[in-house]
Amino acid sequence: MRMFRDEDYEWLKTIECMKKTGMPIKDIREYIMMAMRGDETLEQRLDMIKKQQESVAQQIKELKEMSDALDFKCWYYETAIQAGTAAVPRDMTDEEIPPRFVEVHKKLKNG
């Protein structure tokens, strides 16, 4: 059984957060080393966090696009099952496809 101080717990939570955002271990290590050096590294740490924040924003955007594509595919297969054939949703025009899926359908169709 390990005993941690509140400060240790805060470090563990910070490291866990950084790992979950996809920050490389070497960058996490660099961040910790800078923090241990103190206030002289405040700007560098802020820059590092802002860079990771941009990376997370990009990941969120990509995940949203993937989620939208999966939503479309669920609708597609539910519609095909209901119709008894994949030809029905496959052959629908943009006007027949639910409006929320039109852009996703275009992206998937045009690669």
Side-chain angles (χ1 to χ4, degrees):
M1 180 179 223
R2 292 185 177 185
M3 299 294 291
F4 293 104
R5 297 174 304 182
D6 288 343
E7 182 181 318
D8 297 331
Y9 184 72
E10 185 178 335
W11 272 113
L12 291 171
K13 294 304 282 182
T14 299
I15 291 167
E16 178 185 31
C17 174
M18 291 175 164
K19 282 177 62 177
K20 285 182 177 180
T21 67
M23 182 181 274
I25 296 294
K26 72 175 189 64
D27 290 348
I28 295 171
R29 185 178 301 122
E30 181 182 345
Y31 175 87
I32 292 168
M33 297 303 289
M34 285 191 289
M36 294 174 92
R37 288 200 321 257
D39 289 350
E40 70 186 61
T41 64
L42 288 172
E43 288 185 21
Q44 293 94 328
R45 285 184 275 158
L46 176 60
D47 289 343
M48 184 176 268
I49 295 300
K50 283 184 174 183
K51 181 180 174 187
Q52 194 62 25
Q53 191 175 37
E54 290 171 10
S55 175
V56 168
Q58 182 61 35
Q59 291 174 47
I60 290 169
K61 180 180 178 236
E62 291 170 3
L63 286 170
K64 174 72 172 106
E65 289 172 2
M66 288 182 248
S67 179
D68 290 347
L70 292 172
D71 287 346
F72 168 75
K73 286 298 192 179
C74 284
W75 167 83
Y76 180 96
Y77 289 113
E78 288 167 354
T79 301
I81 290 167
Q82 189 175 36
T85 177
V88 170
R90 182 186 62 229
D91 296 338
M92 284 183 174
T93 65
D94 286 347
E95 291 75 29
E96 296 171 305
I97 294 173
R100 70 185 184 118
F101 295 130
V102 172
E103 288 304 313
V104 175
H105 178 247
K106 287 178 182 178
K107 285 181 184 177
L108 292 172
K109 190 166 65 172
N110 296 326

